[in-house]
Amino acid sequence: MGYNVAIDGPAGAGKSTIAKLVAEKKGYIYVDTGAMYRGLAIHFLDRGIKAEETEKVIEACKDADVRICYEGGMQQVYLNGMNITGRLRDEAVGRMTSKCSVIPQVREKLLDLQRELARTNDVIMDGRDIGTCVLPCADVKIYLTASVETRARRRYDELKAKGEVCDFDEIAKDIKERDERDMNRATAPLKQAADAVLVDSSDMTIEEVVNTIAGLCR
């Protein structure tokens, strides 16, 4: 039986960054559930499917194969045999992911694989509903968050560093809308598990967050 660490939290809270670093520090396998959902979103976008076309989304799930592997110690995501890692952080992909993840059939497509990984390995997994739905019996549960302003600033700085044109207010607006969708969706809404430890990273360095979470793990 694997040792499981679940990290949940809103968009832009730094879950993936922190989970990867804790995994490296503790020797766990990092399972990026968000990347798996983004892989499906890319599948839908490449087919010209809009988020509101629910039946088309459900049908497209049938021939989508999303896999995570590690090459040279780095996570790689494949969609139907093609490496799509470089496309995962596109803004359009993020918006499609948030909208499509409310569809039960999208979640069911990936849920079994995620649970099997956790059953057979020591894993740290991050997402919106890991501690509440995907791994409700996880050994350690974390709810990682930060203020909207902090999350928007981080995303703004990230995009600017890539040379992309962006607007801080638009990013903040998008984050607020994602929070609203994620917290109020009918299927597996974003919420803090009753037994999760709250970690607010607004005024913490990455190292401080990593050490705080690692200290809660065996």
Side-chain angles (χ1 to χ4, degrees), residues 74-85:
M74 299 295 291
Q75 175 184 277
Q76 303 295 318
V77 180
Y78 284 81
L79 170 64
N80 293 337
M82 180 176 296
N83 192 323
I84 57 169
T85 307

Side-chain angles (χ1 to χ4, degrees), residues 156-168:
Y156 176 83
D157 291 343
E158 179 184 353
L159 293 172
K160 291 290 286 186
K162 293 180 180 179
E164 297 185 26
V165 177
C166 53
D167 180 88
F168 177 84

Side-chain angles (χ1 to χ4, degrees), residues 98 101-102 128-129 180-190:
S98 180
S101 61
V102 304
R128 303 287 196 276
D129 63 345
E180 184 70 18
R181 284 197 300 269
D182 290 342
M183 291 177 179
N184 293 285
R185 66 191 187 193
T187 302
L190 167 67

Side-chain angles (χ1 to χ4, degrees), residues 158-215:
E158 179 184 353
L159 293 172
K160 291 290 286 186
K162 293 180 180 179
E164 297 185 26
V165 177
C166 53
D167 180 88
F168 177 84
D169 291 336
E170 283 298 318
I171 293 173
K173 179 175 179 288
D174 184 54
I175 286 176
K176 289 178 182 178
E177 290 174 351
R178 287 194 201 185
D179 287 351
E180 184 70 18
R181 284 197 300 269
D182 290 342
M183 291 177 179
N184 293 285
R185 66 191 187 193
T187 302
L190 167 67
K191 63 181 179 179
Q192 181 178 341
D195 53 348
V197 177
L198 175 65
V199 177
D200 188 328
S201 69
S202 297
D203 299 311
M204 299 173 71
T205 65
I206 291 177
E207 183 179 8
E208 288 173 337
V209 178
V210 169
N211 288 338
T212 296
I213 295 176

Side-chain angles (χ1 to χ4, degrees), residues 35-60:
M36 297 174 75
Y37 278 101
R38 283 172 177 263
L40 276 182
I42 288 172
H43 181 63
F44 305 145
L45 287 169
D46 286 352
R47 285 171 164 252
I49 299 172
K50 298 178 181 179
E52 59 269 20
E53 296 178 312
T54 304
E55 292 304 318
K56 289 184 178 180
V57 167
I58 293 171
E59 183 63 27

